[in-house]
């Protein structure tokens, strides 16, 4: 049997587990060592460390402490790995815990994290999703069921000291351009809630002062939220420190491209089965700066889509120049308005776009001044027909089922 080299206890705080950390730093000790060719399993808590509960109260989403996240299992050292190598990681399998067959999706308050559409959805809401084998449905969003594509939202290797300093410098420079912005432009180091794995307390406090937060993706991988990194995927990670230091967490049962609600997938605790190998000197051989990967050959089979376009003209009618962010935002908003015609609330439609196997595409970035982005919504996930017809939309839902909302505390 394959060994589980990192285990978690969902009834205990992630801070009590020395094989978990929530910052990136080159001096975090390895939680386990493996050899090239080895396969092993790693267990993971959900990205918030259990802060969000399976109930109908969204106050936990409103009050979530985002300085704690993400809780990652690792780092796992690979014997013989050196800076400049490529760490080859095969995702052999990934799954849920038998006693934790549920996940959550949420919108953070604009005052505490925000999200892609926080101007339209500024207050905290959440939806709970129950797992039934490979399928999921929500008591908060009726009329829809879909197959999950479980994947790690966050996986990567430890940075070198030079790379860490580079991250901190450039992100602080960005933050300083608008330091009072809500939500902030960057998540800077924060000592009080840092968990540095097996580091000794005095060393951990020093390291935490410069330890990078896990919020964004960076050159080493990190929080990329790529839904196609599922069973059968192969990832090539740049190695920046001796032994590589592979960490993983933020498991998702399903996610739409873009993870647009920020807490935007179906977040879950679970396990992942990996195999590692090395390509010596691979970074230079292949001119790799950021990870590259082969997607999973196993994907939910949805062949019929409604495709919503967006262009780089914002909600106020302002023209932007080839701005893909604005264009994808408009595609999402167009899809939300469309789904409201069938009885969904705006919040239910927003949550659905973040959790279902929605595809996002950059369709055009050359035709000045408008880029074009598209959102592909699979129609087969609905219990009713959402395609346009001459008779107009039928309002299948009566609004009696809602998503929990937690208004900001004044």
């Amino acid at each position: 049997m394959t060994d589980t080299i990192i285990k978690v206890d969902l009834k205990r705080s992630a801070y009590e587990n020395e094989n978990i950390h929530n910052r990136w730093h080159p001096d975090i000790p390895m939680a386990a060592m493996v050899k090239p060719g080895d396969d092993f399993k790693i267990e993971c808590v959900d990205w918030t460390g259990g802060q969000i509960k399976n109930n109908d109260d969204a106050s936990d989403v409103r009050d979530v402490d985002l300085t704690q996240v993400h809780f990652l299992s690792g780092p796992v050292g690979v014997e013989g790995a050196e800076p400049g190598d490529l760490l080859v990681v095969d995702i052999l399998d990934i799954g849920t815990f038998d006693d934790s067959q549920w996940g959550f999706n949420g919108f953070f308050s604009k005052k505490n994290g925000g999200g892609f559409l926080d101007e339209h959805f500024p207050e905290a809401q959440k939806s709970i999703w129950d797992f039934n084998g490979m399928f999921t449905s929500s008591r908060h969003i009726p009329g829809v069921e879909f197959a999950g594509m479980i994947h790690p939202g966050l996986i990567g290797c430890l940075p070198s000291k030079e790379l860490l300093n580079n991250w901190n410098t450039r992100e602080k420079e960005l933050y300083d351009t608008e330091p009072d912005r809500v939500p902030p432009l960057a998540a800077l180091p924060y000592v009080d809630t840092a968990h540095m794995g097996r580091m000794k307390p005095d060393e951990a406090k020093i390291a935490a002062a410069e330890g990078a937060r896990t919020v964004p993706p960076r050159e080493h991988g990190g929080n990329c939220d790529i839904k196609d990194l599922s069973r059968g995927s192969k990832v090539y990670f740049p190695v920046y420190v001796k032994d590589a230091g592979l960490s993983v967490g933020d498991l998702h049962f399903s996610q739409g491209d873009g993870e647009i609600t920020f807490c935007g997938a179906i977040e879950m605790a679970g396990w992942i089965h990996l195999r590692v190998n090395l390509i010596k000197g691979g970074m230079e051989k292949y001119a790799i700066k950021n990870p590259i990967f082969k997607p999973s050959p196993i994907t939910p089979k949805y062949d019929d889509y409604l495709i919503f376009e967006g262009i780089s003209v914002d909600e106020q009618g302002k023209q932007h120049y080839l701005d893909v962010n604005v264009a994808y935002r408009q595609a999402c908003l167009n899809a939300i308005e469309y789904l409201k015609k069938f009885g969904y609330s705006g919040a239910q439609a927003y949550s659905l776009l973040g959790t279902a196997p929605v595809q996002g595409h950059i369709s055009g970035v050359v035709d000045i001044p408008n880029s074009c982005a598209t959102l592909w919504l699979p129609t087969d996930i609905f219990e009713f027909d959402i395609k346009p017809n001459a008779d107009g939309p039928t309002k299948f839902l009566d609004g009696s089922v809602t998503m929990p909302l937690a208004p900001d505390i004044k």
Side-chain angles (χ1 to χ4, degrees):
M1 291 180 61
T2 301
D3 290 337
T4 300
I5 61 173
I6 295 177
K7 296 183 178 182
V8 302
D9 183 349
L10 300 184
K11 297 178 181 178
R12 300 181 64 183
S13 169
Y15 286 102
E16 298 177 35
N17 192 327
E18 65 178 5
N19 297 324
I20 288 177
H21 63 100
N22 66 358
R23 301 290 191 268
W24 294 112
H25 194 281
D27 295 337
I28 296 175
M30 301 301 162
M33 291 295 299
V34 298
K35 298 178 181 179
D38 284 352
D39 71 285
F40 49 89
K41 291 182 178 179
I42 294 174
E43 295 181 350
C44 302
V45 299
D46 82 80
W47 74 294
T48 72
Q51 294 186 62
I52 311 303
K53 305 303 181 184
N54 184 357
N55 59 29
D56 300 329
D57 180 0
S59 61
D60 50 8
V61 173
R62 179 195 63 203
D63 302 333
V64 67
D65 186 351
L66 293 176
T67 69
Q68 295 185 17
V69 300
H70 303 73
F71 288 103
L72 307 178
S73 294
V76 174
V78 181
E79 292 184 13
E82 299 173 303
D85 294 344
L86 287 179
L87 179 66
V88 185
V89 178
D90 288 287
I91 300 177
L92 302 179
D93 203 359
I94 185 169
T96 61
F97 291 129
D98 290 341
D99 58 353
S100 185
Q101 292 292 307
W102 67 281
F104 62 90
N105 173 260
F107 319 158
F108 294 135
S109 164
K110 186 179 179 182
K111 296 180 179 180
N112 185 27
F116 190 52
L117 301 180
D118 58 14
E119 292 295 331
H120 298 268
F121 302 93
E123 295 187 308
Q125 291 188 255
K126 78 176 180 184
S127 57
I128 299 296
W129 296 79
D130 294 308
F131 307 149
N132 182 19
M134 65 183 292
F135 292 94
T136 187
S137 59
S138 172
R139 61 181 180 265
H140 298 130
I141 305 178
V144 65
E145 181 182 57
F146 48 84
M149 189 173 181
I150 307 178
H151 59 278
L154 202 161
I155 184 170
C157 295
L158 293 179
S160 65
K161 186 66 180 300
E162 179 183 9
L163 185 59
L164 175 65
N165 290 341
N166 186 6
W167 294 349
N168 286 336
T169 297
R170 72 191 187 199
E171 291 173 24
K172 181 65 163 57
E173 289 175 350
L174 174 64
Y175 179 92
D176 287 344
T177 63
E178 196 176 345
D180 297 324
R181 185 179 186 272
V182 177
L185 287 171
L188 302 181
Y190 183 74
V191 174
D192 290 356
T193 54
H195 181 36
M196 307 301 286
R198 296 188 174 192
M199 293 189 78
K200 296 178 180 178
D202 290 344
E203 296 173 347
K205 189 172 184 179
I206 295 171
E210 60 181 7
R213 302 280 292 282
T214 60
V215 176
R218 299 183 179 96
E219 289 87 343
H220 69 143
N223 194 23
C224 295
D225 295 311
I226 301 170
K227 74 176 192 297
D228 299 286
L229 292 183
S230 189
R231 298 175 179 90
S233 295
K234 186 187 292 284
V235 195
Y236 302 84
F237 288 104
V239 173
Y240 292 99
V241 300
K242 181 179 180 297
D243 298 331
L246 177 70
S247 295
V248 61
D250 187 25
L251 303 188
H252 300 162
F253 189 85
S254 179
Q255 178 203 294
D257 281 341
E259 199 188 16
I260 60 173
T261 68
F262 184 24
C263 182
I266 300 176
E267 310 286 349
M268 54 170 266
W271 55 268
I272 187 167
H273 183 184
L274 303 174
R275 180 174 60 222
V276 294
N277 279 289
L278 291 172
I279 298 177
K280 301 300 293 181
M283 288 179 67
E284 183 177 356
K285 287 177 181 177
Y286 292 101
I288 289 179
K289 177 182 178 182
N290 296 76
I292 62 175
F293 75 97
K294 293 177 62 178
S296 170
I298 303 173
T299 59
K301 189 177 185 300
Y302 295 112
D303 300 319
D304 189 64
Y305 292 87
L306 278 181
I307 301 174
F308 296 86
E309 292 188 21
I311 59 174
S312 46
V313 177
D314 65 24
E315 298 93 299
Q316 288 73 45
K318 180 181 178 180
Q319 179 72 62
H320 297 258
Y321 180 77
L322 296 180
D323 192 322
V324 173
N325 183 70
V326 171
Y328 193 57
R329 178 184 174 94
Q330 297 311 304
C332 293
L333 289 170
N334 290 341
I336 289 170
E337 290 303 310
Y338 184 90
L339 289 173
K340 286 165 66 175
K341 296 296 184 180
F342 298 87
Y344 287 108
S345 69
Q348 288 172 326
Y350 185 26
S351 183
L352 183 55
L353 297 183
T355 56
V358 165
Q359 295 182 24
H361 294 259
I362 299 173
S363 300
V365 290
V366 296
D367 298 314
I368 60 172
N370 282 330
S371 59
C372 177
T374 52
L375 181 144
W376 297 41
L377 178 64
T379 60
D380 293 341
I381 68 175
F382 295 93
E383 294 177 356
F384 41 79
D385 187 2
I386 66 164
K387 295 187 290 293
N389 62 67
D391 295 330
T394 299
K395 199 167 186 178
F396 291 99
L397 306 175
D398 62 9
S400 60
V401 177
T402 61
M403 281 177 54
L405 168 69
D408 292 329
I409 299 174
K410 305 302 182 183

